[in-house]
Every structure is written in C-alpha cells, then in structure tokens.
Amino acid sequence: MHLSQQKQPYDGIFVISLQGTPNADPHNEGRLDDFKKAWRKSCGADPEINVCPGVMDDRRGKGKVWPDLPEDTFIAFLGGHTWTYATEDQKKPVLLASTQPSRYLETSFSYGTYGFAVPRRSLDTLLNTIKDDLAHGFIDEDGVRQTEFLSPEKSWYRTDREVGKKMYAIHPLAVWHEGGFSNTWKMDRESITGEEEDDDDGKGDNEGGIRGVAAR
C-alpha cells in the first residue's frame, strides 16, 4: 500500500468479547454490556467501543493470549523502549521471523511502556502500588520520595523485587506505538513497531537506538 493510501491513525477502544459468540459459556452474556454501564456510571459518557468478536476453541489454553508467560512473572511488557536486561551475559536478541514463536526476556529496568500484560495474581499488588504513587508519590533510585511527577516503571520494578517476582519483555514486541508528538516529552517521537534493528553502539531510545526489540 502506498503511503498516500494509508489511513490516518485512529484513536479508539477495542475490546475482545465472547458476548454473542456462538457456543460461548452463558456466563459471557451481558459482560460487555455491564462494562459499558460501569463506564457510563464512572465517566458520564458512552464509550465508543469497537468490538472484536472472540473465537471459541475447545482446547484448554488455546484461548489464552500469552500461554507461555513464565510462572514467576509480575508484569510482562508488550510494548515500550529503552530496555535493560537482568543479566549482563544475556545475548542481544535478534529479529525473529514471523513463523518463529515469541519469547520473553527478563529485564531489570525499562522506560516508556505503552502496553503490558498483568497476571491475575499480580493485579492487587500492582493496583496498590499505583494507588500509593498517586497518593504519596514514588520512591526514586536514591530512596527519595518524589511528589512532583510520576515514574511508574520505577515503582513497578521496586515492587517486583519486593515480592520476589520478575519482569519480562516479549520479543518481538506485540504492541506498536504510532509516531507523532509526545505530550510527555514535548517532542516528536518515531514509531515503535517491534521491527526496528539495533544500532551497533546499543544506544537507547532518546539517542536514536533500538526501541522495538527489547534491547539494551
């Protein structure tokens, strides 16, 4: 497709739902409607939701989005940039062919996540961490509590260490980020697609280095 034929980026909410899916468990009926009601009650407006009908599969586990997620996962990042590996001897990941399965790389730090998966067992802990940051600020790497701004990943990695879990980034990244003006950094940022190739010098995102494949 020529660039002139491409559509402009679209902002919207996309929900995969089994409501109305043939042969789905009856408990799925009304779940999406209940979500919309809760949204209207909290936000005072109707959500503009694009529904992606779920597909049934009788084989257990085939309906899971991330069946190979490590058991010790606290959070699995599906999109982001400026990654630091948990171990120095971990090999720099190479681009994977579309036919190769994704894999998870343990990270010790990262910035700028825009997509992540949270195991159910981590939800309460993560929610409490977020609430504490909003109420009291976050504790930075020097042990100082910052209240003028938030840096969610710093708190998430700290909590991860406290509960004895691990953080992973899926490789290649599963969630893309459209390029454009960043309200966070007040500058234009390039797209992050998960298909970028690394620079030889291993620079981070702000220096023009890799963003898409969970590199150093």
Side-chain angles (χ1 to χ4, degrees):
M1 179 182 293
H2 294 293
L3 291 176
S4 60
Q5 295 175 303
Q6 292 181 354
K7 295 181 179 179
Q8 292 297 315
Y10 175 78
D11 294 328
I13 303 172
F14 294 83
V15 174
I16 299 175
S17 175
L18 290 177
Q19 178 176 304
T21 299
N23 302 319
D25 189 285
H27 289 89
N28 291 289
E29 284 305 312
R31 295 182 73 178
L32 181 59
D33 294 334
D34 291 341
F35 174 80
K36 291 179 179 179
K37 290 178 182 177
W39 183 290
R40 284 193 293 268
K41 182 178 180 180
S42 298
C43 303
D46 288 328
E48 297 182 5
I49 293 179
N50 300 276
V51 180
C52 304
V55 178
M56 292 296 300
D57 194 316
D58 292 333
R59 295 170 294 175
R60 177 171 298 190
K62 291 296 182 179
K64 296 179 181 178
V65 179
W66 316 113
D68 298 323
L69 193 67
E71 288 293 328
D72 58 357
T73 300
F74 180 57
I75 295 175
F77 294 108
L78 311 180
H81 54 82
T82 316
W83 307 94
T84 301
Y85 289 137
T87 57
E88 290 297 328
D89 59 351
Q90 187 169 5
K91 293 181 180 179
K92 184 194 308 183
V94 297
L95 291 177
L96 301 179
S98 60
T99 56
Q100 292 179 278
S102 299
R103 57 194 175 101
Y104 292 92
L105 304 174
E106 184 183 352
T107 62
S108 61
F109 197 71
S110 57
Y111 282 108
T113 182
Y114 50 84
F116 50 92
V118 184
R120 185 180 297 272
R121 58 185 175 273
S122 298
L123 282 174
D124 288 341
T125 303
L126 178 61
L127 180 59
N128 288 334
T129 299
I130 294 173
K131 287 181 176 179
D132 186 71
D133 279 6
L134 292 174
H136 309 293
F138 77 98
I139 300 175
D140 65 17
E141 57 271 24
D142 297 321
V144 178
R145 186 172 293 277
Q146 302 288 344
T147 59
E148 298 300 319
F149 66 99
L150 295 176
S151 186
E153 284 96 333
K154 291 186 178 181
S155 293
W156 296 358
Y157 277 95
R158 175 174 53 81
T159 300
D160 162 69
R161 293 190 294 271
E162 291 175 353
V163 299
K165 298 293 185 179
K166 294 180 179 180
M167 308 284 263
Y168 293 92
I170 193 171
H171 168 60
L173 296 180
V175 182
W176 294 14
H177 191 297
E178 186 70 27
F181 181 77
S182 168
N183 286 291
T184 301
W185 299 105
K186 308 301 182 186
M187 60 182 290
D188 287 331
R189 305 292 293 273
E190 296 180 8
S191 296
I192 304 174
T193 67
E195 298 178 346
E196 295 90 342
E197 293 190 22
D198 194 11
D199 288 348
D200 291 336
D201 57 6
K203 292 179 179 179
D205 177 54
N206 291 337
E207 297 176 294
I210 190 167
R211 291 168 294 278
V213 290
R216 301 179 195 278

